[in-house]
Amino acid sequence: MLSTLLTLIRLLKAIVRSWNRPHFRSGFLLAGLILLSGTIFYKTVEGWSWVNALYFSAMTVATVGVSDLAPQSTAGKLFTVIYLFVGVGVFVALFTQFARALLQIEHDVDAAEARSGKSGKGHL
């Protein structure tokens, strides 16, 4: 539980640190729009609930895959193929920005500890 909380705190710090970067903001917005568009598509075309449509959209772009849901219509199947390729690319770019921010946080902590004479062991 503690490690999950610490990881969540690091993620939030990375988001805050990255927010001033235009590429991050646009990627974050685009990722949100991709999830929203997938959710709306699956809700209207496949007739799924909002939660199931969002769940399937997120699992698709995360390349997890779910066996309990699958598009039944031809349009749904074709959309999913395109959605997968576009969504994965956008989310990879977004997570690259997260990684950069996390690495910058690590670098800043290491530099601060070096200036103060502390060792770099045991930090987030």
Side-chain angles (χ1 to χ4, degrees), residues 35 55-65 83-84 87-88 91 95:
L35 283 176
Y55 174 72
F56 185 79
S57 297
M59 292 301 108
T60 299
V61 296
T63 67
V64 172
Y83 182 74
L84 177 64
V88 167
F91 276 84
F95 288 124

Side-chain angles (χ1 to χ4, degrees), residues 17 100-115 123-124:
R17 178 179 291 266
R100 284 184 184 163
L102 287 171
L103 291 172
Q104 184 63 44
I105 290 170
E106 293 290 329
H107 180 266
D108 292 350
V109 168
D110 289 344
E113 288 177 350
R115 284 191 300 272
H123 66 274
L124 294 178

Side-chain angles (χ1 to χ4, degrees), residues 44-99:
T44 54
V45 172
E46 295 297 327
W48 295 343
S49 71
W50 287 107
V51 172
N52 281 343
L54 175 61
Y55 174 72
F56 185 79
S57 297
M59 292 301 108
T60 299
V61 296
T63 67
V64 172
V66 289
S67 61
D68 54 336
L69 294 172
Q72 299 301 310
S73 68
T74 301
K77 291 173 184 178
L78 292 174
F79 175 82
T80 301
V81 170
I82 296 166
Y83 182 74
L84 177 64
F85 290 118
V86 172
V88 167
V90 168
F91 276 84
V92 165
L94 180 63
F95 288 124
T96 299
Q97 293 293 326
F98 280 144

Side-chain angles (χ1 to χ4, degrees), residues 15-59:
I15 292 171
V16 168
R17 178 179 291 266
S18 298
W19 195 254
N20 292 327
R21 297 179 180 163
H23 290 293
F24 176 80
R25 281 195 314 265
S26 60
F28 197 78
L29 177 63
L30 189 56
L33 288 173
I34 285 174
L35 283 176
L36 179 64
S37 67
T39 301
I40 291 170
F41 177 86
Y42 293 120
K43 168 72 176 148
T44 54
V45 172
E46 295 297 327
W48 295 343
S49 71
W50 287 107
V51 172
N52 281 343
L54 175 61
Y55 174 72
F56 185 79
S57 297
M59 292 301 108

